[in-house]
């Protein structure tokens, strides 16, 4: 099939300005845009050129979305599918790509800022801390979509690392029950961020395993919310904090030698060289 490319672009968590520079550039030259109106702000399409065909997919089935994208790729060079957060996380990416592959339509993916990252930023929290946890788990509670064997929240929570729990705010009672079953203290901190980064709509609810459900109910938080449970929460106010070795004066790496008299060391976990 001759025609345009369908770009699956991560629109980010809500604030239109959190889209990537590459994503915005694609919108600026798009001939057609299909955005997920139930989750993506229409403001994300504001950079579209005059004459661009813009449609909202919130009332479409998967088959209708695929047919629309294929049809638009037949008439213009750049078609953008705007997806909330990052296309690779809970975004039905592969389900949409397969019909396009079958039709011979070229596709490409542009990553986006996940609501997990935006929620941590809104709450000024770090998802990892030295000697506390170095692991982040992205997951959800089982609802109409079943979970694979071994991936129950209780099983994952048993690691006592950071949990970013998507698509589960209406199941908060089951979330806290799973944390309790995994041995989390009733006093363990939990933060819920509703519409992270959405201008004028963001809400941050702080509580504990024991209190967060009631606090969310009181705040009428029932949709579009990230639940973060982590032993790192609240570290901003801790009196004692283990520091990263990367910036320690006694730590030698390829970009900086240790201070005189310190024992040189070569870390194994440096970021890749730019």
């Amino acid at each position: 099939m001759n025609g345009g490319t369908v770009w699956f672009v991560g629109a980010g968590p809500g604030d239109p300005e959190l889209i990537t520079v590459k994503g915005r550039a694609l919108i600026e030259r798009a001939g057609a845009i299909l955005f997920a109106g139930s989750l993506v702000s229409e403001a994300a399409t504001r950079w579209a050129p005059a004459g661009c065909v813009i449609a909202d997919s919130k009332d479409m089935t998967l088959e209708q979305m695929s047919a629309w994208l294929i049809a638009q790729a037949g008439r213009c060079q750049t078609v953008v599918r705007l997806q909330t957060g990052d296309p690779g996380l809970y975004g039905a990416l592969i389900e949409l790509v397969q019909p396009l592959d079958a039709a011979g339509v070229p596709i490409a993916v542009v990553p986006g800022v996940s609501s997990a990252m935006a929620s941590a930023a809104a709450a000024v929290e770090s998802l990892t801390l030295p000697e506390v946890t170095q692991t982040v788990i992205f997951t959800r509670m089982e609802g109409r979509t079943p979970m694979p064997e071994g991936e129950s929240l209780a099983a994952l929570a048993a690691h006592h690392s950071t949990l970013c729990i998507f698509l589960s705010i209406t199941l908060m009672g089951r979330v806290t029950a799973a944390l309790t079953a995994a041995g989390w203290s009733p006093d363990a901190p939990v933060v819920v961020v509703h519409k992270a980064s959405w201008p004028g709509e963001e809400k941050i609810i702080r509580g504990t395993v024991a209190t967060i459900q009631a606090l969310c109910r009181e705040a009428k938080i029932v949709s579009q919310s990230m639940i973060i449970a982590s032993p790192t929460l609240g570290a901003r106010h801790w009196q004692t904090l283990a520091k990263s070795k990367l910036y320690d004066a006694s730590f030698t790496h390829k970009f900086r030698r240790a201070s005189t008299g310190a024992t040189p060391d070569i870390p194994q976990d440096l970021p890749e060289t730019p």
Side-chain angles (χ1 to χ4, degrees):
M1 175 179 175
N2 295 322
T5 297
V6 174
W7 292 83
F8 290 84
V9 176
D15 183 346
E17 294 187 355
L18 285 179
I19 195 168
T20 63
V21 172
K22 185 169 185 174
R24 175 172 169 172
L26 286 164
I27 291 172
E28 289 173 341
R29 68 172 189 261
I33 298 172
L34 182 65
F35 74 102
S38 58
L39 298 169
V40 176
S41 171
E42 190 170 3
T45 68
R46 68 189 182 196
W47 298 292
C52 178
V53 176
I54 300 175
D56 187 344
S57 65
K58 68 174 176 289
D59 295 322
M60 293 182 179
T61 64
L62 190 73
E63 292 74 20
Q64 290 171 329
M65 291 164 60
S66 298
W68 192 94
L69 293 169
I70 292 168
Q72 297 303 321
R75 55 169 289 275
C76 53
Q77 285 300 304
T78 302
V79 180
V80 171
R81 163 58 179 170
L82 271 180
Q83 300 203 192
T84 184
D86 180 89
L89 279 171
Y90 305 108
L93 174 65
I94 301 306
E95 297 162 67
L96 284 168
V97 165
Q98 285 185 334
L100 302 185
D101 284 344
V105 176
I107 69 100
V109 179
V110 178
V113 177
S114 167
S115 59
M117 304 297 106
S119 295
V124 194
E125 297 286 358
S126 179
L127 300 179
T128 61
L129 281 175
E131 300 180 28
V132 178
T133 183
Q134 297 288 282
T135 301
V136 181
I137 297 173
F138 288 179
T139 190
R140 61 172 296 172
M141 277 299 299
E142 183 173 59
R144 286 182 293 180
T145 300
M147 293 295 286
E149 185 176 353
E151 292 189 17
S152 70
L153 183 57
L156 297 175
H159 294 285
H160 289 266
S161 55
T162 294
L163 296 164
C164 294
I165 308 168
F166 290 70
L167 305 169
S168 302
I169 191 64
T170 60
L171 304 172
M172 183 62 84
R174 290 170 58 188
V175 169
T176 56
L179 295 175
T180 300
W184 289 57
S185 165
D187 296 325
V190 179
V191 63
V192 169
V193 182
H194 172 68
K195 287 198 167 185
S197 85
W198 284 67
E201 298 187 62
E202 178 182 273
K203 293 181 182 178
I204 301 171
I205 309 297
R206 295 182 182 275
T208 65
V209 169
T211 65
I212 195 65
Q213 182 180 15
L215 290 170
C216 287
R217 187 183 298 120
E218 181 181 345
K220 296 181 171 55
I221 304 297
V222 295
S223 66
Q224 288 180 254
S225 299
M226 173 62 55
I227 304 166
I228 301 177
S230 174
T232 67
L233 294 179
R236 184 181 184 183
H237 306 292
W238 295 356
Q239 296 301 307
T240 303
L241 192 68
K243 300 298 190 348
S244 170
K245 291 294 185 184
L246 181 58
Y247 304 108
D248 193 307
S250 67
F251 211 63
T252 291
H253 55 70
K254 70 172 98 173
F255 302 112
R256 187 191 69 238
R257 294 203 57 79
S259 302
T260 303
T263 303
D265 198 357
I266 304 298
Q268 302 301 312
D269 56 353
L270 277 176
E272 293 181 5
T273 303

